[in-house]
Structures are given as structure tokens and as C-alpha cells.
Amino acid sequence: MEKEHVTLTQPDGTTLELPILEGSVGPKTFDVTSVYKKTGMFTFDPGFMATASCRSAITFIDGEKGILRYRGYPIEQLAEQSSFLEVAYLLLYSELPSAEQLTEFEYIIGHHTMINESLQMFYRGFRYDAHPMATMVGVVGSLSAFYHDSLDIHDARHREISAHRLIAKMPTIAACSYKRHKGEPFIYPRNDLNYTANFMRMMFATPCEEFEPDPVAAKALDLLFILHADHEQNASTSTVRIAGSSGANPFACISAGIASLWGPAHGGANEAVLNMLDEIGDVSNVDKYIARAKDKSDPFRLMGFGHRVYKNNDPRATIIRKVCYDVLENMPTADSPLFELALKLEEIALKDEYFISHKLYPNVDFYSGIIYRALNIPMNMFTVMFAIARTAGWVAHWMEMIGDPDHRIARPRQLYLGAAERAYVPLDKRG
Ligand code: CMC
């Protein structure tokens, strides 16, 4: 049977057949890799609006139907029944672990949580008021200077050890960034605690006072980590892949991913949502801000609304909204007026013609900040929380890419709009 193809007709009437590639689920894709060779033209797609940049078997999203699956498992089932480390294992190794494999994985991650003591000096080099994301970019990038023994990207075992180190050390690095910012001593990890509880203790204990993580808080945080663990070819994951495509070491690649995540259109949105809610302040001001979001001459956007892929609902937002209710019921620190304000904003926006016609719905970050605040996590750490979780996805994508024998350096082309060739004019001859 003839293979399906798309026919491209050139201005001179000649045609080119472009093979259609089928994934296991989701839209078909036609292969444009031969277009330049055969037509002398490039394809143009800024922002990758319709371009599949790679093959991947990790995460599937159907933006129209609001579906998100890791390795085939619906996010709702993982959120309900799994744990973050089990999800990290699933992303890395393609399958859910057996009980024995999970215990071993938890042991390995638990025994890679310490960071080299010299890194403390590195932290001290930052100004006390450095944003924790700035510290994260620097410290994670510096790890390649400390862990030389796992840097051979062509060795599968080295790649695996680096992946384990990154997942394990990220909470320690994050907590140290916070402690540095706060001017408190670093708290060392403890191997008898689970991933999330250990992180909370490193954040909130001091040498003079122990910290017992509240089980509701630890569970809510673990769930947020599951929801943020991966999201296929988003900006930061694509950044990790592009950085890694040149053969750069994994620590440098993840540092690049953190830098990309920091932007307010991506992971920085959770911090921006709380800033926005604080600025709105009261339900009586909601209409004014909705009007601003619709006004094209005003750069203000409703933060936590809209998504490149989800056009009807973000399944992660639906799950988080429910968790907000649980946290509010069970935690005295929860800020219910803030949640009520968020609910009101959502209610008004969802009835508004502009938001309906632009298909703008609350995304994962609209509610996550409310939970972080209830857990006493300071606002400038919100995006760091996202980075801890997304590290599992980043390393899974990096491993998938490096392990693919067909992978090549990522090198997009451009539509050049600058000056054509012109002759250099000596300084004394310029008008
Ligand atoms: N408020 C008001 N208008 C918006 C918003 C918003 N939050 N988002 C998009 N629009 C409008 C935009 O002005 C444009 O209107 P028009 O077609 O009339 O010019 C239209 O909707 C399409 O927007 P776009 O920016 O071209 O869409 P995009 O797919 O490039 O951007 C987005 C997606 C998430 C960057 C954008 O919706 C946004 O800036 N949202 C606010 C930031 C945010 O919450 N980001 C977190 C994303 S979820 C977490 C993550 O994955 O990182």
C-alpha cells in the first residue's frame, strides 16, 4: 500500500511529496526535512506553532480534550494514586516500578541528596538578596565542576547517574537557595525522610529548632510535584534538548532549562499570579483588571490564564483547584480570601466573551501559588518548586534524546530580513 503523503506545489507548478508520519496517538505529522534540499526553501514557524521538533514517547497532551498522560497513564490517576518519585521513575524508565524497584530507586535518590560541601562557598558569593531562581541557575550549572565522574554523555550509566544526582540534589539546592536568601544556615538532608518531607525540613528547620512537616502539606506538595513533573516539548524542556543536542553536559543543560523556566510566560507565572492577586486585592476590583487584560494597548495579561496547547481546560488546573479546597479545610495557614478572589476572577473571566473566544482558561499556575502560600513557601520560591518537579521531565527528555541514535544538533534556520551585502565605509567617510 502506498504510504500517505502531503503534496507541496511550488510556484513553478512542480510538486514535492512529503511523507506523513503517524504517532501512536495524536495528530499526524508530515516530514519537512527534505524541503530545503529539494526546493531551496525553508519552512517558517516562529514559536513552533505547528512544528514537532522531535520524536518522543514520554508525555502525551491533547490540548482540545484537556488530556495529559505520562507514559500513557492519565494525570488524574497518577495524581490520585502515585507519588512524585514513582512518577520520576516512570518518566525515566518508561514503566511503573515494581515495589522492589521503587524501594531501590527511593534509596538511590535518598543517597544522592547531599551536595559537595564546597558549594556552600559558591552560595556565599551571591548577594544576600539574590532571587532563588538566579542562584539555582548558577549552582546547578556549576555541578559539572563537582561531579566529573558522570559527565561522559556517551556512557548510558553516566547519564543515569547524572539523572539520579539531578533529581536528588535539586531539593537540597533549592532549599539552600532559600536559606541563603533568608540568611539562615543550610540544613543537611535526612535520609529517613521521603523526598517531599525532606525538602520541607531543609526549608523550614533551623539548627535550633526541628521542623515536622504537616502530612497534609507534604501530600499537597508531592501532588504539585507530580502535576509539574513533565509537559512534553514546553519551552524549558525544548531548551534542555537544544542545549543537550550539542553534547553539552547534563548539569549545564538543566541549568539552561531553569533559566528558560524562570520567564513569566512559563514557570514564572505562578509567582506572577500571586503578585496579580495581591494587586487586585479585593473582589470589587476584578472587573477593572479583566478590562485591562482585554485592552490591547495595556500590556497586562491575566496571569495563570491561557496556554499554548490547552484550549478548553488544563487538567492540572482542575486537580489543583480541588486540592486548594482540601488545603483550605485542613490548614490554618491557608489564605481563604485569596482563594475566594481567585475563584471570583475565574468565574467572571470564564463568562467573558473575550476569554471565551480566545479560549483562555485557568492553567496549572493559576491555583498552585495559593497552595504554596498555604504551605508557607515564599513567593520567590514558587518557580523553584516548579523547577524541582520539572527536573524529572527534563532529565527524562535529555536521556531520551541522547539515547536516540538519530539525534543531531538542533540548528533552526531563519528568514533573514537584514541588509543585503554592502561595502564597509571607513570612519572618516561616514556621513
Ligand atoms: N490574558 C489576556 N489575554 C491573553 C492571555 C492572558 N493571560 N493569554 C493570551 N491572551 C490573548 C493574546 O493577547 C492573544 O490575543 P489576540 O489574538 O487578540 O492578539 C491571544 O490570546 C493568543 O495569545 P498568544 O500570546 O499568542 O498565545 P501563546 O500560545 O503564544 O501564549 C501563554 C500562551 C501561556 C504564554 C499566554 O496565554 C500567556 O501569556 N498567559 C499568561 C502567562 C501564564 O499564565 N503562563 C503559564 C503557562 S502554564 C505553565 C507553563 O506551562 O509554564
Side-chain angles (χ1 to χ4, degrees):
M1 201 178 76
E2 203 191 323
K3 283 215 164 147
E4 271 194 302
H5 61 262
V6 163
T7 305
L8 183 76
T9 308
Q10 298 192 65
D12 67 1
T14 56
T15 59
L16 176 64
E17 288 182 358
L18 302 169
I20 292 182
L21 310 174
E22 277 200 57
S24 46
V25 261
K28 292 177 183 174
T29 305
F30 62 91
D31 182 349
V32 295
T33 46
S34 65
V35 167
Y36 176 61
K37 211 164 149 196
K38 297 203 173 138
T39 68
M41 286 188 275
F42 296 136
T43 56
F44 183 64
D45 185 17
F48 301 98
M49 298 295 285
T51 295
S53 61
C54 63
R55 292 187 175 88
S56 183
I58 301 176
T59 289
F60 173 76
I61 301 175
D62 182 329
E64 294 301 324
K65 297 193 184 133
I67 291 173
L68 168 61
R69 297 181 201 134
Y70 298 159
R71 301 281 188 191
Y73 295 101
I75 192 66
E76 293 78 7
Q77 292 179 21
L78 294 169
E80 178 86 33
Q81 300 174 59
S82 189
S83 68
F84 173 68
L85 275 193
E86 186 179 55
V87 164
Y89 182 99
L90 173 68
L91 292 170
L92 274 184
Y93 299 107
S94 320
E95 297 297 333
L96 284 169
S98 65
E100 203 180 304
Q101 286 166 328
L102 182 59
T103 307
E104 191 194 349
F105 187 63
E106 286 169 344
Y107 179 88
I108 293 169
I109 298 300
H111 286 76
H112 273 300
T113 48
M114 279 208 295
I115 53 175
N116 190 296
E117 200 69 1
S118 310
L119 274 166
Q120 294 201 9
M121 251 93 81
F122 204 86
Y123 278 101
R124 291 205 181 93
F126 290 104
R127 250 178 75 127
Y128 72 97
D129 58 353
H131 192 290
M133 280 299 275
T135 323
M136 295 290 292
V137 172
V139 174
V140 173
S142 80
L143 293 181
S144 50
F146 290 93
Y147 300 102
H148 301 130
D149 58 338
S150 63
L151 290 186
D152 180 0
I153 63 157
H154 304 295
D155 181 324
R157 180 68 188 132
H158 276 219
R159 298 200 292 270
E160 188 180 34
I161 295 171
S162 288
H164 292 164
R165 282 181 167 151
L166 277 156
I167 294 171
K169 293 184 198 308
M170 201 58 86
T172 315
I173 292 169
C176 290
S177 298
Y178 171 64
K179 289 295 195 189
R180 168 72 191 147
H181 182 78
K182 228 179 157 216
E184 288 182 3
F186 299 149
I187 300 296
Y188 291 102
R190 240 178 53 193
N191 286 353
D192 59 325
L193 295 176
N194 71 30
Y195 192 82
T196 321
N198 192 24
F199 168 67
M200 292 181 80
R201 183 182 161 275
M202 288 190 284
M203 284 277 290
F204 300 121
T206 65
C208 25
E209 198 165 336
E210 249 313 325
F211 174 83
E212 284 301 328
D214 177 317
V216 177
K219 189 165 184 306
L221 190 58
D222 199 68
L223 181 98
L224 288 181
F225 283 171
I226 293 175
L227 299 181
H228 283 96
D230 194 41
H231 214 227
E232 49 119 305
Q233 311 310 322
N234 56 87
S236 56
T237 304
S238 300
T239 303
V240 169
R241 279 185 177 261
I242 290 184
S245 75
S246 71
N249 74 69
F251 302 108
C253 297
I254 302 305
S255 169
I258 297 172
S260 165
L261 184 74
W262 194 3
H266 192 7
N270 53 16
E271 189 177 338
V273 169
L274 267 244
N275 277 324
M276 176 187 77
L277 291 175
D278 283 342
E279 192 185 313
I280 297 176
D282 187 78
V283 173
S284 62
N285 295 324
V286 166
D287 287 342
K288 192 171 89 195
Y289 281 86
I290 297 264
R292 282 189 61 193
K294 297 192 301 190
D295 178 358
K296 292 288 166 213
S297 62
D298 187 331
F300 175 79
R301 281 189 165 197
L302 218 50
M303 298 313 285
F305 264 74
H307 199 276
R308 170 64 61 79
V309 182
Y310 295 120
K311 296 300 172 197
N312 286 310
N313 81 300
D314 178 340
R316 302 166 302 171
T318 314
I319 298 169
I320 292 191
R321 200 170 184 273
K322 272 198 225 134
V323 182
C324 272
Y325 283 108
D326 282 357
V327 168
L328 282 171
E329 258 173 40
N330 292 301
M331 294 197 64
T333 46
D335 186 345
S336 57
L338 195 79
F339 184 44
E340 278 155 29
L341 177 60
L343 287 174
K344 194 71 197 168
L345 188 65
E346 181 189 17
E347 186 193 316
I348 295 175
L350 293 184
K351 283 193 204 134
D352 190 288
E353 180 44 34
Y354 173 91
F355 288 86
I356 295 169
S357 62
H358 283 75
K359 298 189 169 216
L360 299 169
Y361 295 86
N363 59 47
V364 65
D365 285 329
F366 190 65
Y367 288 112
S368 62
I370 295 169
I371 301 177
Y372 290 139
R373 183 171 276 184
L375 307 189
N376 275 326
I377 290 169
M379 211 138 78
N380 60 10
M381 283 293 289
F382 289 4
T383 313
V384 176
M385 300 293 114
F386 197 153
I388 295 174
R390 186 56 58 87
T391 298
W394 288 332
V395 294
H397 281 271
W398 176 79
M399 300 242 290
E400 181 180 69
M401 180 190 67
I402 303 289
D404 177 354
D406 287 341
H407 100 264
R408 339 171 62 170
I409 187 165
R411 176 53 170 96
R413 307 306 291 254
Q414 64 172 5
L415 174 64
Y416 176 69
L417 299 175
E421 184 180 348
R422 49 188 173 161
Y424 180 81
V425 181
L427 196 52
D428 59 347
K429 300 263 172 6
R430 288 177 217 160

